[in-house]
Amino acid sequence: MNQLFFKSSLVKKYVVALTGVALYGFLLIHTLGNLQIFLGSAAINAYASLLKASPEILWGFRAGLLVMVLAHGLCAALLAIENRRARPAAYERIPKFGSTVASRTMLGTGSVILIFVAYHIFHFTVRATHPDISFFHDSHGRHDVYSMVVLSFKQPALSLFYIVGVACVCFHLSHGVSSAFYSLGMVFAGYERLISRFALAVSVFIFCGMSSVPIAVMFGILKLVPS
Amino acid sequence: MNIKLRVWRQEKPNAKGRFVVYDFPDADPNMSFLEMMDALNNRLVLQGEEPVAFDHDCREGICGACSAVIGGKPHGPGKRITTCQAYVRAFREGDVITVEPFRARAFPVLKDLVVDRSALDRIVQAGGFVSVSTGSAPEANAIPVAKEVSDKAFDAAACIGCGACVATCKNASATLFVAAKISHLGWLPQGQAERSRRALNMVEQMGKEGFGSCSNTLACEAVCPKGISATNIARMNRDFAFALVSRAGQ
Ligand code: HEM
Ligand code: FES
């Protein structure tokens, strides 16, 4: 491989965009999966145990996600360093004309996502943060994901943390999805509006889908059913 | 009109600069912004002070020489204008207008508001030549070019290389400039022979000059005096990817 390949900021952008889009695809499936909680405890518990049916596939998937997050974060951080170096003397009045807040705060929202996802994994995957409510089993002997989720989100602080975390992810995506179209060279004259609306629509969809679970628990729509 | 100008004064490259406030109690709203700067300089010369150095040439928005970030926007208030097309009437009574040089590592300040933009010229040089048959002038219709294609090539070629895209970009990236330069030849049949090489070399030179990368904030498109479309950026990303792949295959 040649030098240009490793040094070019465009190649790093391709990595950020491709991994970002893949993570976004994962997030979309994750959202649809989560929404099954509204079908009742049996449905979500069955779905959760299906996901863990094969350790090979499960760990393969997890490894893939980890590699993508690392590649995305690493390339984004390298770009951010280059970008900071490109303007050593700051403006007194920073020109903001024509850009969105989301597009100017990608590193910030990305960093919050990192913290949020780390906590999320310790909470629901490792089940280390709330062990008292995380290890129940349902009548089929499956891990009772339903009660773990409902009991977690009965705590307003935790619900709020999740809603803010998900909002950050979606804010990141509201620019990220349209940005990826540009980075991957897939914007054609006349379609710019459509692409930014699409990015906004998917972000709003993911936000509504993800945050509906803690909100439904807090409003008593999702509650514990004696099993 | 009563206006105050807060102008960046810097004696020479690498010297420490500072803002100096100049009062304009009787600015004529029909003056252009640069005429106000001329009036300021006349006054400074009469007072025995050093006039403010600023770039300008055609003063009709076609050469790309004028620069400066005026009130937080390259080329001052207004859409699709260059600094020489900004008017005093675009400001309000009592405004304090901050005038700063374009700031980027690749655009070192030479003096006051004048920056060295030759990095952009070196990127164009890196683009290299276009192979055309020499000899007698070719017949006008020998190479057919569709109207839509020539329009797109022309839109990209409208870039005057002023550097406003770099100045406004949060990353001080020259991506819109480079994308326009790659596209204007890339659209045309005459530009096909060297299309890959041009994309690789110009992007490489852009990196060497110390510009940042593109975050697709599209601020560049919004300030561009010629309204160069950011779709050229997508096109550049596409050309560069294809060029990398085809070079790897050689
Ligand atoms: C691990 C934490 C994360 C960090 C630190 C991070 C950081 C960033 C940064 C700084 C950018 C902008 C790059 C640029 O403007 O040049 C970016 C772009 C992007 N991010 Fe993230 N991000 C993270 C997680 C995510 C996740 C979880 C997703 C998807 C669900 C995602 C999707 C995207 C997309 C689609 C882009 C646009 C790519 C482009 O600019 O072409 N990011 N990220
Ligand atoms: S002086 Fe020529 S474009 Fe402004």
Side-chain angles (χ1 to χ4, degrees):
Chain A
M1 274 295 163
N2 50 59
Q3 238 200 341
L4 192 54
F5 185 83
F6 287 107
K7 276 179 114 179
S8 169
S9 67
L10 263 64
V11 174
K12 285 179 217 121
K13 289 292 313 194
Y14 297 150
V15 174
V16 172
L18 287 172
T19 53
V21 167
L23 288 168
Y24 154 65
F26 162 77
L27 205 57
L28 206 58
I29 295 165
H30 191 353
T31 308
L32 296 174
N34 287 3
L35 287 173
Q36 294 178 59
I37 199 166
F38 290 102
L39 300 175
S41 74
I44 191 81
N45 291 353
Y47 175 66
S49 69
L50 174 74
L51 290 182
K52 295 195 175 175
S54 151
E56 289 84 3
I57 295 180
L58 178 69
W59 282 101
F61 225 89
R62 285 176 174 171
L65 284 173
L66 184 68
V67 167
M68 282 195 286
V69 169
L70 290 179
H72 185 90
L74 179 71
C75 286
L78 289 174
L79 286 169
I81 293 168
E82 272 173 33
N83 294 344
R84 198 137 307 170
R85 274 206 205 120
R87 179 165 292 133
Y91 285 108
E92 193 205 44
R93 258 193 81 176
I94 298 159
K96 289 180 182 155
F97 194 82
S99 63
T100 59
V101 181
S103 73
R104 281 182 266 120
T105 53
M106 291 299 273
L107 194 61
T109 48
S111 308
V112 176
I113 294 173
L114 203 57
I115 296 167
F116 169 65
V117 170
Y119 183 86
H120 174 56
I121 289 171
F122 275 105
H123 179 198
F124 282 146
T125 309
V126 183
R127 289 180 255 162
T129 60
H130 299 76
D132 47 324
I133 55 169
S134 303
F135 288 94
F136 299 130
H137 289 273
D138 66 7
S139 52
H140 295 271
R142 295 176 302 218
H143 174 223
D144 193 358
V145 174
Y146 186 87
S147 72
M148 175 173 78
V149 169
V150 171
L151 290 171
S152 291
F153 288 145
K154 272 197 185 299
Q155 308 166 44
L158 199 54
S159 282
L160 191 69
F161 175 70
Y162 267 81
I163 293 169
V164 171
V166 165
C168 258
V169 175
C170 295
F171 200 54
H172 192 82
L173 278 180
S174 71
H175 174 68
V177 170
S178 69
S179 178
F181 274 93
Y182 280 92
S183 300
L184 298 175
M186 301 205 289
V187 184
F188 301 93
Y191 290 90
E192 299 99 316
R193 265 260 169 89
L194 188 69
I195 286 166
S196 63
R197 293 220 174 118
F198 170 74
L200 190 65
V202 296
S203 310
V204 170
F205 172 76
I206 292 180
F207 177 72
C208 293
M210 287 289 198
S211 62
S212 68
V213 178
I215 288 172
V217 172
M218 283 201 291
F219 283 95
I221 298 163
L222 285 176
K223 48 186 169 248
L224 277 193
V225 277
S227 56
Chain B
M1 281 174 80
N2 184 7
I3 279 177
K4 282 187 173 56
L5 286 175
R6 276 186 79 234
V7 182
W8 181 260
R9 301 302 311 261
Q10 179 173 334
E11 208 187 324
K12 52 180 194 276
N14 299 320
K16 213 173 132 49
R18 69 201 164 92
F19 284 102
V20 179
V21 180
Y22 300 102
D23 279 322
F24 259 92
D26 54 352
D28 183 337
N30 294 322
M31 276 200 278
S32 78
F33 182 82
L34 289 186
E35 282 167 343
M36 181 160 65
M37 296 298 290
D38 292 336
L40 171 67
N41 279 347
N42 283 342
R43 205 169 80 194
L44 291 177
V45 170
L46 287 177
Q47 290 167 356
E49 289 174 46
E50 186 72 13
V52 179
F54 61 89
D55 267 324
H56 61 108
D57 188 21
C58 70
R59 295 213 180 189
E60 56 180 7
I62 55 168
C63 74
C66 56
S67 63
V69 173
I70 302 163
K73 180 181 165 285
H75 294 310
K79 271 203 153 164
R80 297 207 179 175
I81 56 160
T82 49
T83 293
C84 58
Q85 294 169 306
Y87 283 86
V88 174
R89 57 176 172 269
F91 300 97
R92 273 171 312 195
E93 181 68 30
D95 272 358
V96 181
I97 308 165
T98 301
V99 189
E100 293 184 73
F102 284 178
R103 294 199 188 275
R105 180 156 69 115
F107 286 174
V109 175
L110 296 178
K111 186 176 182 184
D112 298 336
L113 303 174
V114 178
V115 298
D116 179 0
R117 285 170 283 181
S118 30
L120 299 183
D121 300 331
R122 288 189 292 272
I123 293 173
V124 170
Q125 280 167 9
F129 54 83
V130 180
S131 302
V132 289
S133 308
T134 53
S136 57
E139 202 270 315
N141 295 317
I143 304 173
V145 182
K147 170 83 169 83
E148 305 81 61
V149 170
S150 74
D151 281 351
K152 283 181 172 141
F154 186 81
D155 286 348
C159 170
I160 53 176
C162 64
C165 45
V166 177
T168 207
C169 176
K170 77 179 179 66
N171 307 335
S173 168
T175 300
L176 188 63
F177 167 81
V178 178
K181 295 300 171 198
I182 289 177
S183 283
H184 91 246
L185 290 168
W187 276 110
L188 297 172
Q190 295 90 333
Q192 297 311 306
E194 293 84 13
R195 185 168 169 183
S196 282
R197 201 195 56 200
R198 190 160 46 241
L200 291 172
N201 291 349
M202 291 180 88
V203 167
E204 185 177 11
Q205 190 65 31
M206 166 169 72
K208 282 189 192 152
E209 297 291 349
F211 293 105
S213 69
C214 178
S215 290
N216 302 310
T217 71
L218 309 191
C220 51
E221 185 185 54
V223 300
C224 177
K226 299 299 152 189
I228 305 287
S229 164
T231 53
N232 288 303
I233 294 178
R235 198 180 152 85
M236 175 187 86
N237 289 333
R238 209 157 65 229
D239 274 12
F240 185 77
F242 282 126
L244 269 185
V245 171
S246 72
R247 190 161 85 170
Q250 273 165 19

PDB file of all heavy atoms in Angstrom, chain A residues 13 16-17 20-21 23-24 27 69 72 76 79 106-107 110-111 113-114 172-173 176-177 179-180 183, chain B residues 214-215, ligand 1:
ATOM      1  N   LYS A  13     -11.517   9.721   6.295  1.00  0.00           N
ATOM      2  CA  LYS A  13     -12.938  10.062   6.185  1.00  0.00           C
ATOM      3  C   LYS A  13     -13.749   8.869   5.673  1.00  0.00           C
ATOM      4  O   LYS A  13     -14.866   8.651   6.106  1.00  0.00           O
ATOM      5  CB  LYS A  13     -13.139  11.250   5.235  1.00  0.00           C
ATOM      6  CG  LYS A  13     -12.668  12.587   5.731  1.00  0.00           C
ATOM      7  CD  LYS A  13     -13.456  13.146   6.902  1.00  0.00           C
ATOM      8  CE  LYS A  13     -14.949  13.072   6.748  1.00  0.00           C
ATOM      9  NZ  LYS A  13     -15.680  13.889   7.705  1.00  0.00           N
ATOM     10  N   VAL A  16     -14.218   6.635   8.666  1.00  0.00           N
ATOM     11  CA  VAL A  16     -15.206   7.196   9.596  1.00  0.00           C
ATOM     12  C   VAL A  16     -16.618   7.025   9.022  1.00  0.00           C
ATOM     13  O   VAL A  16     -17.546   6.613   9.726  1.00  0.00           O
ATOM     14  CB  VAL A  16     -14.915   8.695   9.878  1.00  0.00           C
ATOM     15  CG1 VAL A  16     -16.044   9.323  10.683  1.00  0.00           C
ATOM     16  CG2 VAL A  16     -13.612   8.854  10.628  1.00  0.00           C
ATOM     17  N   ALA A  17     -16.755   7.301   7.745  1.00  0.00           N
ATOM     18  CA  ALA A  17     -18.085   7.240   7.134  1.00  0.00           C
ATOM     19  C   ALA A  17     -18.590   5.797   7.041  1.00  0.00           C
ATOM     20  O   ALA A  17     -19.726   5.506   7.408  1.00  0.00           O
ATOM     21  CB  ALA A  17     -18.044   7.888   5.749  1.00  0.00           C
ATOM     22  N   GLY A  20     -19.258   4.495  10.485  1.00  0.00           N
ATOM     23  CA  GLY A  20     -20.416   5.225  11.019  1.00  0.00           C
ATOM     24  C   GLY A  20     -21.718   4.701  10.435  1.00  0.00           C
ATOM     25  O   GLY A  20     -22.694   4.487  11.156  1.00  0.00           O
ATOM     26  N   VAL A  21     -21.716   4.460   9.125  1.00  0.00           N
ATOM     27  CA  VAL A  21     -22.930   3.962   8.483  1.00  0.00           C
ATOM     28  C   VAL A  21     -23.255   2.546   8.980  1.00  0.00           C
ATOM     29  O   VAL A  21     -24.408   2.217   9.252  1.00  0.00           O
ATOM     30  CB  VAL A  21     -22.781   3.991   6.944  1.00  0.00           C
ATOM     31  CG1 VAL A  21     -23.879   3.199   6.266  1.00  0.00           C
ATOM     32  CG2 VAL A  21     -22.790   5.433   6.450  1.00  0.00           C
ATOM     33  N   LEU A  23     -22.439   1.275  11.899  1.00  0.00           N
ATOM     34  CA  LEU A  23     -22.933   1.393  13.275  1.00  0.00           C
ATOM     35  C   LEU A  23     -24.366   1.919  13.274  1.00  0.00           C
ATOM     36  O   LEU A  23     -25.198   1.514  14.085  1.00  0.00           O
ATOM     37  CB  LEU A  23     -22.031   2.313  14.093  1.00  0.00           C
ATOM     38  CG  LEU A  23     -20.654   1.744  14.448  1.00  0.00           C
ATOM     39  CD1 LEU A  23     -19.740   2.827  14.994  1.00  0.00           C
ATOM     40  CD2 LEU A  23     -20.790   0.618  15.459  1.00  0.00           C
ATOM     41  N   TYR A  24     -24.626   2.796  12.326  1.00  0.00           N
ATOM     42  CA  TYR A  24     -25.980   3.310  12.219  1.00  0.00           C
ATOM     43  C   TYR A  24     -26.957   2.195  11.834  1.00  0.00           C
ATOM     44  O   TYR A  24     -28.065   2.111  12.378  1.00  0.00           O
ATOM     45  CB  TYR A  24     -26.022   4.462  11.212  1.00  0.00           C
ATOM     46  CG  TYR A  24     -27.351   4.645  10.571  1.00  0.00           C
ATOM     47  CD1 TYR A  24     -28.447   5.031  11.336  1.00  0.00           C
ATOM     48  CD2 TYR A  24     -27.528   4.375   9.228  1.00  0.00           C
ATOM     49  CE1 TYR A  24     -29.693   5.141  10.760  1.00  0.00           C
ATOM     50  CE2 TYR A  24     -28.757   4.496   8.646  1.00  0.00           C
ATOM     51  CZ  TYR A  24     -29.843   4.872   9.419  1.00  0.00           C
ATOM     52  OH  TYR A  24     -31.064   4.977   8.848  1.00  0.00           O
ATOM     53  N   LEU A  27     -27.657   0.280  14.811  1.00  0.00           N
ATOM     54  CA  LEU A  27     -28.528   1.035  15.718  1.00  0.00           C
ATOM     55  C   LEU A  27     -29.993   0.935  15.290  1.00  0.00           C
ATOM     56  O   LEU A  27     -30.901   0.856  16.123  1.00  0.00           O
ATOM     57  CB  LEU A  27     -28.088   2.494  15.695  1.00  0.00           C
ATOM     58  CG  LEU A  27     -28.410   3.343  16.909  1.00  0.00           C
ATOM     59  CD1 LEU A  27     -27.815   2.732  18.154  1.00  0.00           C
ATOM     60  CD2 LEU A  27     -27.892   4.748  16.694  1.00  0.00           C
ATOM     61  N   VAL A  69     -16.212   0.546  16.215  1.00  0.00           N
ATOM     62  CA  VAL A  69     -16.188   1.707  17.117  1.00  0.00           C
ATOM     63  C   VAL A  69     -14.762   2.219  17.276  1.00  0.00           C
ATOM     64  O   VAL A  69     -14.515   3.430  17.236  1.00  0.00           O
ATOM     65  CB  VAL A  69     -16.805   1.356  18.489  1.00  0.00           C
ATOM     66  CG1 VAL A  69     -16.543   2.457  19.499  1.00  0.00           C
ATOM     67  CG2 VAL A  69     -18.303   1.125  18.355  1.00  0.00           C
ATOM     68  N   HIS A  72     -13.625   3.891  14.017  1.00  0.00           N
ATOM     69  CA  HIS A  72     -14.348   5.154  13.869  1.00  0.00           C
ATOM     70  C   HIS A  72     -13.777   6.218  14.810  1.00  0.00           C
ATOM     71  O   HIS A  72     -13.431   7.320  14.383  1.00  0.00           O
ATOM     72  CB  HIS A  72     -15.831   4.907  14.178  1.00  0.00           C
ATOM     73  CG  HIS A  72     -16.731   6.072  13.969  1.00  0.00           C
ATOM     74  ND1 HIS A  72     -17.346   6.327  12.772  1.00  0.00           N
ATOM     75  CD2 HIS A  72     -17.145   7.055  14.804  1.00  0.00           C
ATOM     76  CE1 HIS A  72     -18.098   7.409  12.881  1.00  0.00           C
ATOM     77  NE2 HIS A  72     -17.996   7.879  14.109  1.00  0.00           N
ATOM     78  N   ALA A  76     -11.560   9.416  13.664  1.00  0.00           N
ATOM     79  CA  ALA A  76     -12.175  10.712  13.977  1.00  0.00           C
ATOM     80  C   ALA A  76     -11.237  11.539  14.849  1.00  0.00           C
ATOM     81  O   ALA A  76     -11.092  12.750  14.647  1.00  0.00           O
ATOM     82  CB  ALA A  76     -13.510  10.505  14.674  1.00  0.00           C
ATOM     83  N   LEU A  79      -8.317  12.851  12.740  1.00  0.00           N
ATOM     84  CA  LEU A  79      -8.786  13.974  11.919  1.00  0.00           C
ATOM     85  C   LEU A  79      -8.934  15.231  12.773  1.00  0.00           C
ATOM     86  O   LEU A  79      -8.551  16.327  12.366  1.00  0.00           O
ATOM     87  CB  LEU A  79     -10.140  13.638  11.276  1.00  0.00           C
ATOM     88  CG  LEU A  79     -10.116  12.638  10.122  1.00  0.00           C
ATOM     89  CD1 LEU A  79     -11.530  12.195   9.774  1.00  0.00           C
ATOM     90  CD2 LEU A  79      -9.439  13.236   8.900  1.00  0.00           C
ATOM     91  N   MET A 106     -19.355  17.360  16.482  1.00  0.00           N
ATOM     92  CA  MET A 106     -19.285  15.909  16.300  1.00  0.00           C
ATOM     93  C   MET A 106     -18.341  15.248  17.300  1.00  0.00           C
ATOM     94  O   MET A 106     -18.625  14.164  17.815  1.00  0.00           O
ATOM     95  CB  MET A 106     -18.855  15.568  14.875  1.00  0.00           C
ATOM     96  CG  MET A 106     -19.878  15.904  13.826  1.00  0.00           C
ATOM     97  SD  MET A 106     -21.421  15.016  14.044  1.00  0.00           S
ATOM     98  CE  MET A 106     -21.083  13.500  13.159  1.00  0.00           C
ATOM     99  N   LEU A 107     -17.209  15.895  17.577  1.00  0.00           N
ATOM    100  CA  LEU A 107     -16.267  15.281  18.509  1.00  0.00           C
ATOM    101  C   LEU A 107     -16.861  15.255  19.916  1.00  0.00           C
ATOM    102  O   LEU A 107     -16.714  14.267  20.645  1.00  0.00           O
ATOM    103  CB  LEU A 107     -14.933  16.043  18.496  1.00  0.00           C
ATOM    104  CG  LEU A 107     -13.781  15.308  19.163  1.00  0.00           C
ATOM    105  CD1 LEU A 107     -13.477  14.001  18.470  1.00  0.00           C
ATOM    106  CD2 LEU A 107     -12.537  16.179  19.213  1.00  0.00           C
ATOM    107  N   GLY A 110     -19.709  12.711  19.962  1.00  0.00           N
ATOM    108  CA  GLY A 110     -19.065  11.398  19.839  1.00  0.00           C
ATOM    109  C   GLY A 110     -18.458  10.950  21.164  1.00  0.00           C
ATOM    110  O   GLY A 110     -18.589   9.787  21.558  1.00  0.00           O
ATOM    111  N   SER A 111     -17.815  11.870  21.876  1.00  0.00           N
ATOM    112  CA  SER A 111     -17.198  11.517  23.158  1.00  0.00           C
ATOM    113  C   SER A 111     -18.258  11.147  24.191  1.00  0.00           C
ATOM    114  O   SER A 111     -18.074  10.204  24.966  1.00  0.00           O
ATOM    115  CB  SER A 111     -16.358  12.688  23.686  1.00  0.00           C
ATOM    116  OG  SER A 111     -15.475  13.120  22.688  1.00  0.00           O
ATOM    117  N   ILE A 113     -21.129   9.846  23.471  1.00  0.00           N
ATOM    118  CA  ILE A 113     -21.611   8.524  23.047  1.00  0.00           C
ATOM    119  C   ILE A 113     -20.716   7.433  23.627  1.00  0.00           C
ATOM    120  O   ILE A 113     -21.191   6.423  24.134  1.00  0.00           O
ATOM    121  CB  ILE A 113     -21.644   8.410  21.499  1.00  0.00           C
ATOM    122  CG1 ILE A 113     -22.671   9.370  20.913  1.00  0.00           C
ATOM    123  CG2 ILE A 113     -21.964   6.982  21.073  1.00  0.00           C
ATOM    124  CD1 ILE A 113     -22.650   9.431  19.393  1.00  0.00           C
ATOM    125  N   LEU A 114     -19.411   7.673  23.573  1.00  0.00           N
ATOM    126  CA  LEU A 114     -18.458   6.679  24.067  1.00  0.00           C
ATOM    127  C   LEU A 114     -18.723   6.361  25.539  1.00  0.00           C
ATOM    128  O   LEU A 114     -18.797   5.189  25.947  1.00  0.00           O
ATOM    129  CB  LEU A 114     -17.041   7.230  23.884  1.00  0.00           C
ATOM    130  CG  LEU A 114     -15.909   6.217  23.823  1.00  0.00           C
ATOM    131  CD1 LEU A 114     -16.149   5.227  22.702  1.00  0.00           C
ATOM    132  CD2 LEU A 114     -14.583   6.929  23.609  1.00  0.00           C
ATOM    133  N   HIS A 172     -25.662  13.388  16.866  1.00  0.00           N
ATOM    134  CA  HIS A 172     -24.468  12.994  16.118  1.00  0.00           C
ATOM    135  C   HIS A 172     -24.880  12.482  14.732  1.00  0.00           C
ATOM    136  O   HIS A 172     -24.291  12.840  13.717  1.00  0.00           O
ATOM    137  CB  HIS A 172     -23.761  11.899  16.909  1.00  0.00           C
ATOM    138  CG  HIS A 172     -22.382  11.558  16.451  1.00  0.00           C
ATOM    139  ND1 HIS A 172     -21.275  12.279  16.807  1.00  0.00           N
ATOM    140  CD2 HIS A 172     -21.921  10.543  15.680  1.00  0.00           C
ATOM    141  CE1 HIS A 172     -20.195  11.726  16.278  1.00  0.00           C
ATOM    142  NE2 HIS A 172     -20.559  10.670  15.577  1.00  0.00           N
ATOM    143  N   LEU A 173     -25.923  11.678  14.711  1.00  0.00           N
ATOM    144  CA  LEU A 173     -26.361  11.078  13.448  1.00  0.00           C
ATOM    145  C   LEU A 173     -27.047  12.075  12.530  1.00  0.00           C
ATOM    146  O   LEU A 173     -27.017  11.920  11.313  1.00  0.00           O
ATOM    147  CB  LEU A 173     -27.316   9.919  13.724  1.00  0.00           C
ATOM    148  CG  LEU A 173     -26.646   8.599  14.076  1.00  0.00           C
ATOM    149  CD1 LEU A 173     -27.691   7.545  14.333  1.00  0.00           C
ATOM    150  CD2 LEU A 173     -25.732   8.163  12.942  1.00  0.00           C
ATOM    151  N   GLY A 176     -24.171  13.202  10.970  1.00  0.00           N
ATOM    152  CA  GLY A 176     -23.334  12.096  10.510  1.00  0.00           C
ATOM    153  C   GLY A 176     -23.863  11.402   9.271  1.00  0.00           C
ATOM    154  O   GLY A 176     -23.107  11.120   8.343  1.00  0.00           O
ATOM    155  N   VAL A 177     -25.159  11.155   9.236  1.00  0.00           N
ATOM    156  CA  VAL A 177     -25.706  10.406   8.095  1.00  0.00           C
ATOM    157  C   VAL A 177     -25.563  11.216   6.805  1.00  0.00           C
ATOM    158  O   VAL A 177     -25.122  10.696   5.784  1.00  0.00           O
ATOM    159  CB  VAL A 177     -27.169   9.999   8.356  1.00  0.00           C
ATOM    160  CG1 VAL A 177     -27.803   9.443   7.102  1.00  0.00           C
ATOM    161  CG2 VAL A 177     -27.225   8.971   9.472  1.00  0.00           C
ATOM    162  N   SER A 179     -23.447  13.655   6.308  1.00  0.00           N
ATOM    163  CA  SER A 179     -22.011  13.817   6.087  1.00  0.00           C
ATOM    164  C   SER A 179     -21.421  12.592   5.399  1.00  0.00           C
ATOM    165  O   SER A 179     -20.583  12.713   4.498  1.00  0.00           O
ATOM    166  CB  SER A 179     -21.326  14.057   7.437  1.00  0.00           C
ATOM    167  OG  SER A 179     -19.946  14.170   7.285  1.00  0.00           O
ATOM    168  N   ALA A 180     -21.893  11.416   5.806  1.00  0.00           N
ATOM    169  CA  ALA A 180     -21.363  10.184   5.217  1.00  0.00           C
ATOM    170  C   ALA A 180     -21.670  10.110   3.721  1.00  0.00           C
ATOM    171  O   ALA A 180     -20.862   9.632   2.932  1.00  0.00           O
ATOM    172  CB  ALA A 180     -21.923   8.969   5.942  1.00  0.00           C
ATOM    173  N   SER A 183     -18.961  12.178   2.229  1.00  0.00           N
ATOM    174  CA  SER A 183     -17.648  11.529   2.335  1.00  0.00           C
ATOM    175  C   SER A 183     -17.526  10.355   1.381  1.00  0.00           C
ATOM    176  O   SER A 183     -16.447  10.075   0.879  1.00  0.00           O
ATOM    177  CB  SER A 183     -17.406  11.038   3.756  1.00  0.00           C
ATOM    178  OG  SER A 183     -17.443  12.115   4.654  1.00  0.00           O
TER     179      SER A 183
ATOM    180  N   CYS B 214     -12.192  17.670   5.668  1.00  0.00           N
ATOM    181  CA  CYS B 214     -13.568  18.153   5.489  1.00  0.00           C
ATOM    182  C   CYS B 214     -14.514  17.461   6.466  1.00  0.00           C
ATOM    183  O   CYS B 214     -14.536  16.245   6.553  1.00  0.00           O
ATOM    184  CB  CYS B 214     -14.020  17.876   4.066  1.00  0.00           C
ATOM    185  SG  CYS B 214     -15.717  18.391   3.754  1.00  0.00           S
ATOM    186  N   SER B 215     -15.300  18.246   7.216  1.00  0.00           N
ATOM    187  CA  SER B 215     -16.328  17.681   8.083  1.00  0.00           C
ATOM    188  C   SER B 215     -17.720  17.834   7.481  1.00  0.00           C
ATOM    189  O   SER B 215     -18.717  17.616   8.159  1.00  0.00           O
ATOM    190  CB  SER B 215     -16.288  18.333   9.463  1.00  0.00           C
ATOM    191  OG  SER B 215     -15.140  17.940  10.163  1.00  0.00           O
TER     192      SER B 215
HETATM  193  C1  HEM C   1     -17.247   5.950  19.834  1.00  0.00           C
HETATM  194  C2  HEM C   1     -17.690   7.168  19.945  1.00  0.00           C
HETATM  195  C3  HEM C   1     -17.770   8.072  18.752  1.00  0.00           C
HETATM  196  C4  HEM C   1     -16.930   9.107  18.476  1.00  0.00           C
HETATM  197  C5  HEM C   1     -15.767   9.589  19.309  1.00  0.00           C
HETATM  198  C6  HEM C   1     -17.383   9.682  17.223  1.00  0.00           C
HETATM  199  C7  HEM C   1     -16.812  10.777  16.620  1.00  0.00           C
HETATM  200  C8  HEM C   1     -17.143  11.230  15.366  1.00  0.00           C
HETATM  201  C9  HEM C   1     -16.605  12.399  14.736  1.00  0.00           C
HETATM  202  C10 HEM C   1     -15.587  13.358  15.378  1.00  0.00           C
HETATM  203  C11 HEM C   1     -17.136  12.482  13.500  1.00  0.00           C
HETATM  204  C12 HEM C   1     -16.881  13.580  12.473  1.00  0.00           C
HETATM  205  C13 HEM C   1     -15.719  13.294  11.586  1.00  0.00           C
HETATM  206  C14 HEM C   1     -15.453  14.520  10.762  1.00  0.00           C
HETATM  207  O1  HEM C   1     -16.234  15.447  10.804  1.00  0.00           O
HETATM  208  O2  HEM C   1     -14.450  14.566  10.081  1.00  0.00           O
HETATM  209  C15 HEM C   1     -18.036  11.393  13.338  1.00  0.00           C
HETATM  210  C16 HEM C   1     -18.778  11.137  12.208  1.00  0.00           C
HETATM  211  C17 HEM C   1     -19.764  10.181  12.113  1.00  0.00           C
HETATM  212  N1  HEM C   1     -20.201   9.344  13.128  1.00  0.00           N
HETATM  213 FE1  HEM C   1     -19.329   9.167  14.922  1.00  0.00          FE
HETATM  214  N2  HEM C   1     -18.450   8.978  16.760  1.00  0.00           N
HETATM  215  C18 HEM C   1     -18.731   7.992  17.666  1.00  0.00           C
HETATM  216  C19 HEM C   1     -19.757   7.060  17.613  1.00  0.00           C
HETATM  217  C20 HEM C   1     -20.642   6.930  16.555  1.00  0.00           C
HETATM  218  C21 HEM C   1     -21.722   5.967  16.502  1.00  0.00           C
HETATM  219  C22 HEM C   1     -22.099   5.009  17.625  1.00  0.00           C
HETATM  220  C23 HEM C   1     -22.311   6.131  15.274  1.00  0.00           C
HETATM  221  C24 HEM C   1     -23.475   5.401  14.670  1.00  0.00           C
HETATM  222  C25 HEM C   1     -24.461   4.931  15.324  1.00  0.00           C
HETATM  223  C26 HEM C   1     -21.614   7.174  14.574  1.00  0.00           C
HETATM  224  C27 HEM C   1     -21.923   7.600  13.316  1.00  0.00           C
HETATM  225  C28 HEM C   1     -21.230   8.550  12.611  1.00  0.00           C
HETATM  226  C29 HEM C   1     -21.445   8.882  11.228  1.00  0.00           C
HETATM  227  C30 HEM C   1     -22.469   8.254  10.285  1.00  0.00           C
HETATM  228  C31 HEM C   1     -20.516   9.897  10.917  1.00  0.00           C
HETATM  229  C32 HEM C   1     -20.339  10.630   9.593  1.00  0.00           C
HETATM  230  C33 HEM C   1     -19.135  10.204   8.827  1.00  0.00           C
HETATM  231  C34 HEM C   1     -18.620  11.321   7.953  1.00  0.00           C
HETATM  232  O3  HEM C   1     -18.371  12.427   8.444  1.00  0.00           O
HETATM  233  O4  HEM C   1     -18.456  11.090   6.770  1.00  0.00           O
HETATM  234  N3  HEM C   1     -20.605   7.651  15.378  1.00  0.00           N
HETATM  235  N4  HEM C   1     -18.019  10.635  14.483  1.00  0.00           N
END
